[in-house]
């Protein structure tokens, strides 16, 4: 994701689901170098679908997000604001601004209204349950039972509505299982004489491309379909502190270029696999990085992978990178937006975590702000003006 100088050494690999559904269609013969000029993502007309209120809100929120001090300390600042303004005042401040920018709503009616609008724009929802825990935050079995109910409700909403022909959702295992227990399981696996865990090797800093090759090999030998969500990673500060505590080398890449090489190399591996056996593999190219998006689109064209065949899709966060998302949808690609939902109290911790993980993205959204401003000036110019 956009403007980090140092990122984790591996795109995270997440098994999304088994894929035994209808096989995606392969496109016609590839035609290299015929990508649409729109994939330069320079056209502000992508924002013409936004209302005046949405345009002004996005500009305001993104302007605030451009200040590192605000993003890096957003959790503390929100806590102070809640204390000073009270519950009602805090809600009046956040609800129409940050909450409305990044959250679909609280009730199913509100969520449906947001998602139906996305559907009209060619965007698909990937509902995100805003619940998870970190080390030291375990809240007991009752909380995990409640989280399970929330996840099952998310499954129901995702599949009972006609929002998408291929519905998806996002869940975190740490909403169902103590983070401390996850650490213990990982430690026990690492102590075994054999090495069945890709995760352990990832924690030791092994290059992510070899991990992906191992996952593909395991998929082939065990006969299951492999789904990969490819992201540039997050949790940099936590990974560094953990490595220092355990006496391991810093697992974070030393340059932005190394991160790009890691991500794009893994992307090529998956696209090549999909082009050979498209019914066995699926990938979400989950990134706000325009170069990686263009690279994926170009390789799809070269390999003859259908834009909307089901094996390759793109993903970005709700309320961010809309100039990329809307352009991809217009060009016929399958594009999902990660859609958190819930009350302000439920989603605020989630939003703070995402802000901390993606703070370099939030601080580096200059291009999106510039395109929003161009669209704003276009509307303000008198008709017939240049």
């Amino acid at each position: 994701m956009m403007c980090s100088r140092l990122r984790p050494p591996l795109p995270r690999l997440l098994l999304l689901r088994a894929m035994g559904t209808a096989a995606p269609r392969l496109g016609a013969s590839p035609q290299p170098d015929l990508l649409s000029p729109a994939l330069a993502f320079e056209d502000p007309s992508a924002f013409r679908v936004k209302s005046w209120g949405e345009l002004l809100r996005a500009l305001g929120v993104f302007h605030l997000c451009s200040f590192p001090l605000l993003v890096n300390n957003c959790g503390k600042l929100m806590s102070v604001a809640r204390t000073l303004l009270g519950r009602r005042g805090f809600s009046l401040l956040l609800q129409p601004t940050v909450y409305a920018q990044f959250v679909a709503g609280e009730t199913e009616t509100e969520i449906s209204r947001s998602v139906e609008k996305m559907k009209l724009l060619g965007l698909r929802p990937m509902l995100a349950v805003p619940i998870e825990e970190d080390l030291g935050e375990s809240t007991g079995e009752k909380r995990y039972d409640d989280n399970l109910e929330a996840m099952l409700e998310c499954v129901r909403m995702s599949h009972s509505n006609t929002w998408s022909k291929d519905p998806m959702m996002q869940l975190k295992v740490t909403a169902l299982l103590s983070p401390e227990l996850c650490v213990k399981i990982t430690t026990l696996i690492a102590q075994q004489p054999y090495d069945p865990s890709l995760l352990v090797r990832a924690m030791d800093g092994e290059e992510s491309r070899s991990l992906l090759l191992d996952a593909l090999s395991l998929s082939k030998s065990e006969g299951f379909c492999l789904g990969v969500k490819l992201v540039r990673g997050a949790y940099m500060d936590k990974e560094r502190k953990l490595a220092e505590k355990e006496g391991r080398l810093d697992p974070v890449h030393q340059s932005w270029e190394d991160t790009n090489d890691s991500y794009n190399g893994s992307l090529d591996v998956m696209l090549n696999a999909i082009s050979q056996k498209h019914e066995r593999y699926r990938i979400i190219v989950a990134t706000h990085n325009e170069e990686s998006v263009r690279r994926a689109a170009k390789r799809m064209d070269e390999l003859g992978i259908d834009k909307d065949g089901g094996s390759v899709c793109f993903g970005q966060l709700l309320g961010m990178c809309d100039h990329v998302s809307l352009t991809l949808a217009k060009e016929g690609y399958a594009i999902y937006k990660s859609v958190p939902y819930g009350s302000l109290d439920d989603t605020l911790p989630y939003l703070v975590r995402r802000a901390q993980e993606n703070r370099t993205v939030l601080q580096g959204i200059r291009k999106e702000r510039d395109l929003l401003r161009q669209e704003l000036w276009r509307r303000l110019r008198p008709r017939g003006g240049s």
Side-chain angles (χ1 to χ4, degrees):
M1 301 176 183
M2 301 312 84
C3 292
S4 172
R5 291 295 178 269
L6 300 173
R7 304 296 269 177
L10 61 145
R12 277 186 306 189
L13 304 178
L14 302 180
L15 296 186
L16 299 179
R17 55 183 170 175
M19 295 168 292
T21 55
R25 307 176 308 278
L26 287 183
S29 299
Q31 301 180 28
D33 302 322
L34 292 181
L35 285 181
S36 167
L39 293 184
F41 305 115
E42 301 283 354
D43 188 359
S45 67
F47 293 121
R48 291 186 181 181
V49 297
K50 289 188 177 293
S51 67
W52 277 94
E54 291 170 333
L55 199 65
L56 293 171
R57 183 188 67 211
L59 277 169
V61 170
F62 289 166
H63 180 69
L64 292 175
C65 290
S66 66
F67 295 100
L69 183 64
L70 293 180
V71 176
N72 295 340
N73 297 281
C74 60
K76 295 177 182 178
L77 291 172
M78 287 185 181
S79 179
V80 171
R82 189 192 293 269
T83 300
L84 294 176
L85 299 174
R87 184 184 182 89
R88 178 172 175 77
F90 183 74
S91 178
L92 289 174
L93 174 66
L94 270 291
Q95 200 88 25
T97 54
V98 175
Y99 178 90
Q101 181 69 21
F102 300 118
V103 180
E106 180 173 0
T107 67
E108 187 166 353
T109 300
E110 292 172 345
I111 299 167
S112 295
R113 190 181 304 124
S114 298
V115 172
E116 288 294 341
K117 183 173 182 179
M118 290 171 52
K119 183 180 177 181
L120 292 174
L121 300 175
L123 305 175
R124 305 179 187 183
M126 182 161 51
L127 294 187
V129 184
I131 46 177
E132 60 188 289
E133 290 184 351
D134 205 345
L135 289 172
E137 296 180 353
S138 297
T139 50
E141 293 302 319
K142 177 62 167 63
R143 178 59 173 167
Y144 297 139
D145 290 340
D146 293 341
N147 289 349
L148 175 60
E149 290 300 318
M151 288 184 176
L152 293 176
E153 176 64 11
C154 184
V155 172
R156 184 196 66 76
M157 282 196 295
S158 294
H159 289 264
S160 64
N161 292 283
T162 58
W163 296 333
S164 171
K165 68 177 183 179
D166 195 4
M168 292 193 193
M169 56 185 290
Q170 285 181 262
L171 305 173
K172 293 260 187 178
V173 69
T174 50
L176 298 174
L177 189 67
S178 160
E180 288 78 12
L181 181 56
C182 290
V183 171
K184 288 180 182 179
I185 292 174
T186 302
T187 303
L188 288 173
I189 293 175
Q191 293 172 352
Q192 298 299 316
Y194 53 88
D195 184 19
S197 173
L198 301 178
L199 176 61
V200 174
R201 294 164 64 185
M203 290 176 68
D204 287 336
E206 182 172 320
E207 291 186 6
S208 59
R209 205 167 310 169
S210 65
L211 296 176
L212 182 54
L213 291 171
D214 283 345
L216 288 167
S217 176
L218 185 62
S219 167
K220 181 178 180 180
S221 63
E222 297 297 327
F224 62 84
C225 299
L226 178 68
V228 171
K229 180 182 180 184
L230 196 63
V231 304
R232 270 180 164 72
Y235 309 106
M236 287 192 300
D237 295 337
K238 293 180 181 179
E239 288 291 337
R240 281 179 164 150
K241 289 178 181 178
L242 182 62
E244 182 179 359
K245 179 180 178 181
E246 297 181 353
R248 295 187 286 106
L249 293 175
D250 185 347
V252 179
H253 273 317
Q254 295 305 306
S255 73
W256 176 235
E257 291 72 24
D258 288 345
T259 303
N260 288 338
D261 289 343
S262 175
Y263 189 93
N264 292 333
S266 298
L267 175 61
D268 286 342
V269 168
M270 278 303 298
L271 292 179
N272 285 330
I274 288 169
S275 70
Q276 296 168 22
K277 287 194 174 182
H278 52 83
E279 72 279 2
R280 292 191 60 87
Y281 307 110
R282 180 170 295 187
I283 184 174
I284 297 182
V285 185
T287 179
H288 293 179
N289 184 285
E290 295 175 14
E291 188 274 331
S292 289
V293 171
R294 279 192 295 270
R295 183 187 184 98
K298 183 177 181 180
R299 288 297 291 152
M300 289 171 68
D301 182 69
E302 293 170 347
L303 295 169
I305 301 173
D306 190 6
K307 294 179 179 179
D308 193 16
S311 53
V312 180
C313 58
F314 295 84
Q316 281 107 39
L317 298 173
L318 180 69
M320 290 183 63
C321 208
D322 283 349
H323 64 298
V324 173
S325 305
L326 293 169
T327 300
L328 286 172
K330 186 177 179 181
E331 293 298 315
Y333 293 91
I335 169 69
Y336 287 82
K337 297 292 268 187
S338 176
V339 179
Y341 63 90
S343 68
L344 179 62
D345 288 338
D346 287 339
T347 55
L348 193 58
Y350 177 91
L351 293 176
V352 169
R353 287 179 189 268
R354 300 293 83 80
Q356 294 300 322
E357 293 171 14
N358 298 288
R359 60 184 182 273
T360 51
V361 180
L362 288 168
Q363 294 162 15
I365 50 181
R366 182 178 301 173
K367 180 175 181 179
E368 189 167 3
R369 283 185 291 138
D370 288 345
L371 293 175
L372 285 164
R373 288 194 187 103
Q374 289 179 43
E375 172 59 18
L376 179 63
W377 298 136
R378 185 194 68 80
R379 298 186 189 188
L380 291 174
R381 284 198 302 264
R383 291 189 178 184
S386 57

